[in-house]
């Protein structure tokens, strides 16, 4: 698996709008054949901070995701909501086995 | 869901031992009734860095996890492997729906 964790910090007034836009993107992304998971979580002690946990089968599947209309729509709509630039790190899976993702 | 992301940085010589110990802990943890996921990933550009993505049904289920023998065994065995103290953050789930975790 090719896994991306995206750390996101939004402006306080943008929290609800960001949640709506990102849920819509996650639902559409999960329908892509190369997307295994697209989890979206909110930090308990700071509701302006979020993480996207994107699990792709291959590196190429991430590239395909960035070419979708729903990614473009999301990226453009959330750009003005950011309190600071997004950061991300790439991972490989160690557990569970492939069928468990 | 009550979700914990644990950021872990180990000494270079401890990478393989850490992977073995943590896979064993993840397998045992996933059998706990309150543990929904226990994902273990390794950073692509720095193989000494890992993340545990622990998904519990409730806060109490995390407390129960910390009382298990496999948690104690893991915690004690990996303590000397750390390059720096572990850090963690707590999250709530926004997507997918409960059945998707």
């Amino acid at each position: 698996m090719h896994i991306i964790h995206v750390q996101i910090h939004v402006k306080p007034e943008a929290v609800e709008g960001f949640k709506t836009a990102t849920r819509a993107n996650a639902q559409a992304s999960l329908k892509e054949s190369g997307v295994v998971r697209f989890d979206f979580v909110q930090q308990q002690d700071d509701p302006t901070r979020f993480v996207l946990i994107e699990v792709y089968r291959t590196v190429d599947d991430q590239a395909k995701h960035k070419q979708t209309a729903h990614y473009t729509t999301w990226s453009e709509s959330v750009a003005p909501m950011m309190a600071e630039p997004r950061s991300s790190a790439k991972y490989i899976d160690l557990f569970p086995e492939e069928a468990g993702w």
Side-chain angles (χ1 to χ4, degrees), chain A:
Chain A
M1 302 290 172
H2 176 63
I3 300 170
I4 321 289
H5 288 190
V6 186
Q7 307 284 338
I8 301 164
H9 182 200
V10 307
K11 298 170 186 167
E13 66 272 21
V15 164
E16 291 308 315
F18 179 75
K19 286 164 63 173
T20 301
T22 304
R23 277 197 178 106
N25 181 50
Q27 282 180 320
S29 299
L30 201 50
K31 293 175 185 162
E32 294 173 47
S33 62
V35 172
V36 179
R37 299 193 63 83
F38 209 98
D39 299 343
F40 176 39
V41 300
Q42 182 177 31
Q43 193 166 313
Q44 290 185 20
D45 65 2
D46 182 349
T48 66
R49 293 182 185 273
F50 300 86
V51 186
L52 281 174
I53 302 100
E54 307 178 7
V55 181
Y56 301 95
R57 295 202 183 281
T58 68
V59 173
D60 191 47
D61 289 321
Q62 185 194 10
K64 285 180 187 166
H65 167 68
K66 291 207 166 180
Q67 292 166 354
T68 62
H70 53 263
Y71 173 77
T72 301
T73 298
W74 175 79
S75 182
E76 291 176 354
S77 68
V78 304
M81 301 179 186
M82 298 294 115
E84 59 184 311
R86 301 197 286 275
S87 66
S88 66
K90 295 176 182 177
Y91 301 91
I92 59 166
D93 56 306
L94 297 178
F95 184 87
E97 302 284 320
E98 197 167 322
W101 288 88

